[in-house]
Amino acid sequence: MSRSIKFPALLLLIAPCLSETAVAVVVRSFEFNVPGVLPSSEPDISFFNNGGAPETTLYSVSGGLLKQRTFGLTGNFSYLYPNFLENGDFDPSQSLVMETRLRVHRIAGTSPGQAYFQVFDSLFQFGLYFAENALLVPTSTGFFSYGLDLTVMRTYRLESPGNSSTARIYVDGRLVGTVTAPNARINHFGFGDGLTPGGGADVDWDYIRINTATAVPEPSTFAAAGLGLVAAVATARRRRRAV
């Protein structure tokens, strides 16, 4: 009695050859390389200001930095896209990577939000908040706190897979914690001084980047899968001849 390899079995042979890679899409990148050009110069970026002071006295761009100077002020002075009542461009099924490099000269107390960078993807809130001597990350139960010297220029990064509340937090490339993000229903990002009331902060932002990614099969794996299929068929033919 001859035996042949059925199609599901072929898939089992091929499956180990398949792998995925993430194709990144830059949703937004602020590099601050043009002196005097503030984020609000982009048509879809709004500047929220409920403190009354002119934007140009609160923020400036020079030396490749966005210089936030809100220490001692009470108000929310932040850059938003879009505003809180509109829908943004984030697909919650895609992975999210948000990264910034900054240093804090001075900040008023331990309340989060006087220097912040956050993304809402319609399902969850992912954020990097800065307070006195600590990085704070919102979680489903409060804040994750990681103590460090904020006056040093450092890189902060948050990574989360698609459709997931899990987020990994990195400081200067080192994993410092994993959190469960709070639920959210809006689609939006923002950064700057977002705390009202508050005491403000003086911060130098080197860059701000938001990427999303979709997992797709690597092109080389299609070739590997094809070779696996050929080998499986050849094996099946040899078995039939031997019986």
Side-chain angles (χ1 to χ4, degrees):
M1 180 179 178
S2 65
R3 292 181 298 175
S4 61
I5 300 177
K6 303 298 184 181
F7 184 69
L10 287 176
L11 289 180
L12 291 174
L13 289 172
I14 296 169
C17 301
L18 296 175
S19 63
E20 291 185 334
T21 187
V23 176
V25 176
V26 178
V27 177
R28 184 68 66 173
S29 178
F30 298 91
E31 304 297 332
F32 311 120
N33 292 325
V34 182
V37 178
L38 292 166
S40 60
S41 64
E42 299 189 25
D44 54 358
I45 303 297
S46 61
F47 181 64
F48 185 86
N49 180 353
N50 64 3
E55 177 188 4
T56 52
T57 67
L58 303 170
Y59 289 89
S60 63
V61 175
S62 64
L65 300 170
L66 173 67
K67 299 179 179 180
Q68 172 187 324
R69 298 296 183 262
T70 61
F71 184 82
L73 301 179
T74 298
N76 182 327
F77 315 103
S78 57
Y79 293 98
L80 309 177
Y81 169 82
N83 69 45
F84 282 103
L85 301 179
E86 297 175 343
N87 291 321
D89 296 331
F90 296 104
D91 181 350
S93 69
Q94 296 180 333
S95 64
L96 172 69
V97 176
M98 46 190 294
E99 181 176 293
T100 184
R101 182 169 171 81
L102 60 82
R103 61 171 169 255
V104 178
H105 294 284
R106 53 182 181 169
I107 194 165
T110 59
S111 297
Q114 297 163 111
Y116 83 102
F117 170 32
Q118 69 182 4
V119 171
F120 298 87
D121 70 354
S122 300
L123 293 180
F124 304 105
Q125 174 191 358
F126 301 102
L128 300 170
Y129 289 67
F130 303 89
E132 190 174 37
N133 300 318
L135 165 68
L136 303 175
V137 180
T139 73
S140 57
T141 57
F143 280 92
F144 163 82
S145 179
Y146 180 72
L148 75 169
D149 181 3
L150 296 179
T151 64
V152 176
M153 183 70 79
R154 300 184 188 275
T155 301
Y156 303 90
R157 182 181 178 94
L158 181 151
E159 299 179 357
S160 179
N163 290 323
S164 173
S165 62
T166 300
R168 298 180 298 276
I169 312 302
Y170 298 84
V171 176
D172 291 334
R174 176 173 173 268
L175 178 66
V176 299
T178 300
V179 305
T180 300
N183 294 331
R185 293 186 178 181
I186 59 177
N187 197 300
H188 149 98
F189 74 78
F191 61 90
D193 180 345
L195 185 63
T196 305
D202 291 347
V203 183
D204 290 342
W205 302 79
D206 185 20
Y207 62 79
I208 296 170
R209 298 170 185 160
I210 308 171
N211 295 347
T212 60
T214 302
V216 297
E218 295 180 1
S220 60
T221 63
F222 287 109
L227 291 175
L229 177 61
V230 170
V233 172
T235 300
R237 288 175 177 172
R238 286 197 296 270
R239 287 178 178 175
R240 284 198 296 271
R241 293 194 195 103
V243 175

